[in-house]
Amino acid sequence: MRSISPEAIVGSRITNQSLRRWLHSLPGVDKVGLEARAASLGTRSIKTASKAWALDAAIKMMDLTTLEGMDTPERVKSLCLKALTPDPTDLSTPRPAAICVYGDMVKYAKATLKDSGVYVAAVATAFPSGRASLRVKLEDTKDAVRAGADEIDMVIDRGAFLAGEYLEVYKQIVAVKEACKRNDGSYAHLKVILETGELQTYDNIRRASYLAMLAGGDFIKTSTGKVTVNATIPITMLMLQAVRDWYEETGELIGVKPAGGIRTAKDAIKYLVVVRETAGETWLNPDLFRFGASSLLNDVLMQRQKLKTGHYSGPDYVTVD
Amino acid sequence: MFEYSPAPESRSLVSFETSYGHFIGGKFTKPSNLYKTINPATEEVLAEISHGTDKDVDAAVKAARHAYEKVWSKLPGSERGKYLYRIARIIQERGRELAVAETLNNGKPIKETRDFDIPTVAAWFFYYAGWADKLDYAGLGANPKAHGVAAQVIPWNFPLMMLAWKVAPALAAGNTVVLKPAESTPLTALLFADICQQAELPEGVVNIITGYGDTGAALVKHPDVNKVAFTGSTDVGRVIAKAVAGSDKKVTLELGGKAANIVFDDAPLDQAVEGIINGIFFNQGHVCCAGSRLLVQESIQDEFLKKLKRRMEQLRVGDPMDKNTDIGAINSKAQLEKIDALVRQGVAEGGELWAPQCELPRNGFWFRPSLITGVSPANTVAREEIFGPVLSVMTFRTPAEAVTKANNTPFGLSAGIWTEKGSRILKLADQLNAGVVWANTFNQFDPTSPFGGFKESGYGREGGRHGLLAYLKGGN
Amino acid sequence: MRLDVRKTYKLFIGGKFPRSESGRTYELNDHQGKFLANVAQASRKDARDAVVAARAAQSGWASASAYNRGQILYRIAEMLEARREQFVAEIRAMTGVSSSKANAEVDAAIDSWVWHAGWSDKIDSVAGSMNPVAGPYFNISTNQPTGVVAILAPQDSALVGLVNSIAPAIVSGNTVVVVASEGLPLSAITLTEVLATSDLPGGVVNMLTGSAKEIGPWLASHQDVNAIDLEGAHSPVELEISAAETIKRVIRANSFSRGDSRGSLQHILALMEVKTVWHPKGH
């Protein structure tokens, strides 16, 4: 647990006013400069050995995700089996970090994955909109934890955030964190989805990141994958700057999870470059960086095969999930 | 660990002749009076270059005069423009080759030549091509006239880009040119001669004469030159201004700088860090408008320097041909020695030197990206242009003090301001004696945007309508 | 019978009318060789003091609103008009021209002030630009005064050439140190009396009478002078070489016509610096 209290960080009792003052005292973000830096990192050329390392790292950091209304136990089971054996032609292929599903699917995922080391993450708190009473959100969370979820991906109340009700957003995260507590006193890992596409400005995203970290989130996550704009490199870079600076201030290591829209190995490698050059090597670790993705895995597997065989692979040579 | 494997650009994209003559009247002369031009990253000899004599200069000026009288001044502007468009397109087509050639001869990273230098070169020709038939709108009234023959002397830091900044507006305005590239970086100018041939530019409209300072001196002093344009050091600028005194030659000078990059406590800090890095380490700091003096508000000095140092540790110094290199080679041994001497003096005067401990290649000329803290305005490193990857750090307490310190230099080329407060930016932009003020950004260039200095940083502008004016005289 | 009170012709530095610190004067005769006045003969130290005064006044004058500068220049025209008889008399005494010719010169001088006054708030509209750069940046170029300008006024003009040298410099916010025509200095000094009563801040125009040959080199080499106008220079090539030492902006002789009731925008711009400002656009 953290050694420094939220009050000490904010420098005051936690009220809406003190949170506002604190969040609005953070350095501004210049959009053009941030995006220019992100674009310049996007031109890094990752070859041979470094590419092989990055492809495996991308798999190990993946939250293999299915979040559809049409999800069924069979579908979830199939995805879990894919996680256990991503590439049947190459058993040295690492496994993803976790499977990410809706709360009611946790038990099926858990049944397949057992103690394989692949975690089960559940989205909760009236995902994706978060438009429900706190009571419902907490029940949603507790359900998933009871079903065996190792990790909870919650959404913040964007409406409250945009209305300036920072205290409300803060309290909800604190409450959900408490709902992650298991009977044995341990906690499911809490990822806080900011839904950056709805916060819209980089200044908002930085403030929401700090608010989530203050409230006890273990990870800050960009998106639900359900809105028009999901993870982008500049947004992820900004959140990496936030966790890096937070660590320097508090000694607390917080993870970052971009989610939604990351479909190719090339994209994933760009993200890893950004992690390395923004937050540093410490964050190149599944405990501190995750990709939320559904179709990314197969593209990474094809690139992996290409590196191994020297030939370009095709979709028929990786398994559908 | 996530280390980047080498990602070298292909050397085979470009081939050089063993030796080059001058490009005069549309043809290459027989190579003579040869000296070697090298790759400063490896010290490998790339080609042998002719050192131009007074006679060569005279031949080039005669060719330019002849082309001006007989061909170029008689062409309608619309046709001149089409030649410039052709050149812009060929530069785009041969972009990768030119980028590789520039990196080999200059030592700057391929990332920069590929993504900045060469695209900017093409953009410059494309922009001025459009002016050629619109000179009546340049601001001098109807029917402005070209000067005639323009003598252009350019430096080694952006060899082809400086050529474009000079040649494109000169030709658009209807002048013919004799251009002398820097002695250490002649190769892309010589490739440009080939591009002129591919574009079927009339013979003598562009002439390129290679050599050392004496060749350049002969060129600007030539009595049949009407216009002199120079980019380079203030010392040489002085010599040129003296050499043309009393003549009718029009002169524009783009000289040295010692720009202040001012960071206020309310700045967007992460972007300010990037701006400072870009401001001083872009092109190894071989940039006249480099933000070589960091003025940081005292209240955030520690936090800011910590961020800056962490960012500097990410800089990748080494093989310029590697696509991941951020900082390449120093362009010459002489320049390296100059940087080294100034830094030593900075330390001797009490400055504290800091540089990340990156490994440097064994051959070639290299200097680590460096910070000198504890600098006062009286120190040599706060006053003299180092022209290398070295940032002098000073502090200030109030906006007025920042302006006073920023303006406390004989130079006046550029300045940077980092603050989220709009009215402060506008006030400072008024008060700073600099020809280019970058607020919450740095080292941005565009063909539509005038660039040039106040005070000892020179006079005249390059870029935009103002840049065109330097190559025109009043109409009727 | 009453003896008239003669005027002592002094220098004009920092809004005050000092004698030359050297104590020197030179004798000015009229066109028939008859004694007219003892004119202050400025020294290099007077020139030095004038540069200090001009520098001190420069940022204030430049930051006055363009509207304000325009009104002051127009006020100069009004004051000159009010004292036209004095100028006519002095011009005629020094040169011997007819009354109608002298009046024509004063007319042109007054009209030139009016012409220049109107430019103050139009320069940037005409000669500035908003530049459509290829990126998400606001990019604007404005014109700013060069700073302190030394003017070696035309030697052959008593008034209109002088006005057409000073007005294009100060309209934009420069301050000037002028060396008046050595042979025709009286109207220059009378002009400073006009300037002193026109709300023009002290130090914006500093007038030295004496020898351009003697003072010119000190101004050309002065490190705190940003530009020099060589129209009335004795040895322009040497001065241009000297000015090159600090990369001064140089207006060579005969670059602009100075005899008319209007000047030239290019002359105004020759004493200005283009400043380009960039800022990102993003929210």
Side-chain angles (χ1 to χ4, degrees), chain B residues 139-140 234 237-238 241-242 244-251 253 255 425 429-441 444-446 448-450 453-456 458-459 461 465-466, chain C residues 63 126-129 131-135 137-139 141-146 223 226 236-237 240-242 244-250 252 255 265-266 269 273-280:
Chain B
L140 294 173
T234 295
R238 276 189 250 281
K242 289 174 186 174
V244 301
S247 73
D248 290 332
K249 293 172 189 169
K250 296 289 173 216
V251 186
L253 301 173
L255 309 175
I425 291 171
D430 268 355
Q431 292 178 318
L432 291 168
N433 292 325
V436 186
V437 176
W438 286 295
N440 292 324
T441 186
Q444 301 290 337
F445 308 90
D446 192 276
T448 68
S449 178
F454 281 31
K455 303 196 286 185
E456 290 195 18
Y459 38 73
R461 292 293 176 268
R465 183 182 63 81
H466 298 83
Chain C
S63 60
V126 172
S129 57
N131 310 307
V133 297
Y137 297 94
F138 170 84
N139 186 265
S141 294
T142 63
N143 293 271
Q144 303 209 341
T146 293
Q223 295 195 311
N226 302 103
V237 179
E240 188 174 341
I241 290 171
S242 174
E245 198 53 45
T246 54
I247 316 291
K248 282 185 184 60
R249 286 77 180 121
V250 172
R252 290 177 182 149
S255 296
L265 176 61
Q266 294 310 314
L269 294 175
E273 307 287 329
V274 176
K275 176 182 280 183
T276 300
V277 180
W278 293 68
H279 197 280

Side-chain angles (χ1 to χ4, degrees), chain A:
Chain A
M1 291 307 305
R2 70 151 58 105
S3 54
I4 178 165
S5 72
E7 288 75 13
I9 292 166
V10 174
S12 144
R13 198 162 57 84
I14 303 295
T15 64
N16 199 54
Q17 203 184 15
S18 69
L19 286 175
R20 161 176 287 275
R21 261 202 311 270
W22 177 63
L23 293 174
H24 287 252
S25 73
L26 296 168
V29 184
D30 184 78
K31 175 180 192 281
V32 174
L34 177 75
E35 291 175 357
R37 170 67 177 149
S40 102
L41 284 180
T43 69
R44 289 288 192 221
S45 180
I46 304 303
K47 302 278 182 210
T48 58
S50 54
K51 187 172 186 180
W53 186 95
L55 291 174
D56 280 5
I59 299 174
K60 289 182 211 164
M61 293 175 182
M62 207 175 294
D63 284 1
L64 193 58
T65 302
T66 183
L67 293 171
E68 302 299 336
M70 60 195 284
D71 284 346
T72 58
E74 277 305 309
R75 155 75 181 152
V76 169
K77 184 179 171 192
S78 153
L79 197 67
C80 291
L81 290 172
K82 171 96 176 179
L84 293 174
T85 315
D87 185 349
T89 70
D90 180 357
L91 296 178
S92 74
T93 310
R95 288 171 174 168
I99 289 290
C100 183
V101 294
Y102 273 111
D104 60 339
M105 292 289 140
V106 169
K107 59 185 174 210
Y108 306 113
K110 207 63 198 168
T112 310
L113 294 172
K114 301 194 177 76
D115 46 7
S116 62
V118 178
Y119 295 129
V120 177
V123 296
T125 68
F127 181 95
S129 74
R131 293 260 65 87
S133 70
L134 180 59
R135 190 169 60 79
V136 171
K137 292 184 194 182
L138 296 179
E139 272 315 308
D140 193 14
T141 307
K142 287 175 186 167
D143 259 2
V145 173
R146 275 196 294 264
D150 303 290
E151 303 177 349
I152 294 295
D153 288 22
M154 71 168 287
V155 292
I156 66 163
D157 185 338
R158 285 88 75 188
F161 183 91
L162 291 171
E165 302 291 342
Y166 300 133
L167 185 61
E168 177 62 27
V169 180
Y170 173 82
K171 280 178 165 170
Q172 287 189 20
I173 301 169
V174 170
V176 173
K177 170 98 176 177
E178 209 40 46
C180 289
K181 194 168 183 177
R182 303 192 186 93
N183 289 334
D184 65 359
S186 66
Y187 285 81
H189 226 57
L190 180 63
K191 306 196 195 97
V192 182
I193 302 172
L194 310 179
E195 196 64 305
T196 52
E198 289 188 346
L199 300 182
Q200 301 216 352
T201 71
Y202 290 119
D203 286 323
N204 278 343
I205 293 167
R206 173 172 278 176
R207 287 169 192 151
S209 300
Y210 273 76
L211 196 55
M213 294 189 289
L214 185 78
D218 299 302
F219 256 76
I220 48 178
K221 173 175 168 184
T222 61
S223 321
T224 60
K226 302 294 182 191
V227 295
T228 322
V229 179
N230 293 294
T232 68
I233 295 222
I235 287 170
T236 307
M237 177 187 266
L238 177 61
M239 290 166 63
L240 285 162
Q241 289 167 348
V243 297
R244 175 197 72 196
D245 293 347
W246 182 265
Y247 172 68
E248 288 196 348
E249 198 179 323
T250 68
E252 207 174 25
L253 285 163
I254 308 289
V256 174
K257 177 178 170 185
I262 307 164
R263 295 190 181 89
T264 65
K266 197 173 166 186
D267 283 345
I269 292 172
K270 282 184 187 177
Y271 276 91
L272 294 177
V273 166
V274 171
V275 174
R276 180 190 185 280
E277 300 205 27
T278 305
E281 296 271 358
T282 308
W283 271 266
L284 283 172
N285 178 326
D287 291 341
L288 290 171
F289 195 79
R290 295 279 180 86
F291 291 105
S294 47
S295 59
L296 173 63
L297 179 58
N298 272 351
D299 194 63
V300 174
L301 292 176
M302 286 195 288
Q303 294 306 317
R304 223 176 155 273
Q305 289 174 0
K306 153 76 173 59
L307 268 190
K308 227 173 95 185
T309 64
H311 309 296
Y312 291 107
S313 183
D316 289 349
Y317 296 84
V318 290
T319 56
V320 294
D321 46 57

Side-chain angles (χ1 to χ4, degrees), chain C residues 6 25 30 36 57 100 102 112 124-125 154 158 168 201 217 239 241:
Chain C
R6 282 185 182 165
T25 58
D30 71 11
L36 256 183
S100 67
S112 175
D124 268 331
S125 305
L239 295 192
I241 290 171

Side-chain angles (χ1 to χ4, degrees), chain B residues 22-40:
Chain B
H22 310 292
F23 182 66
I24 296 175
K27 293 170 198 70
F28 278 100
T29 61
K30 192 162 168 285
S32 64
N33 207 3
L34 294 173
Y35 71 94
K36 293 174 169 54
T37 189
I38 63 166
N39 176 350

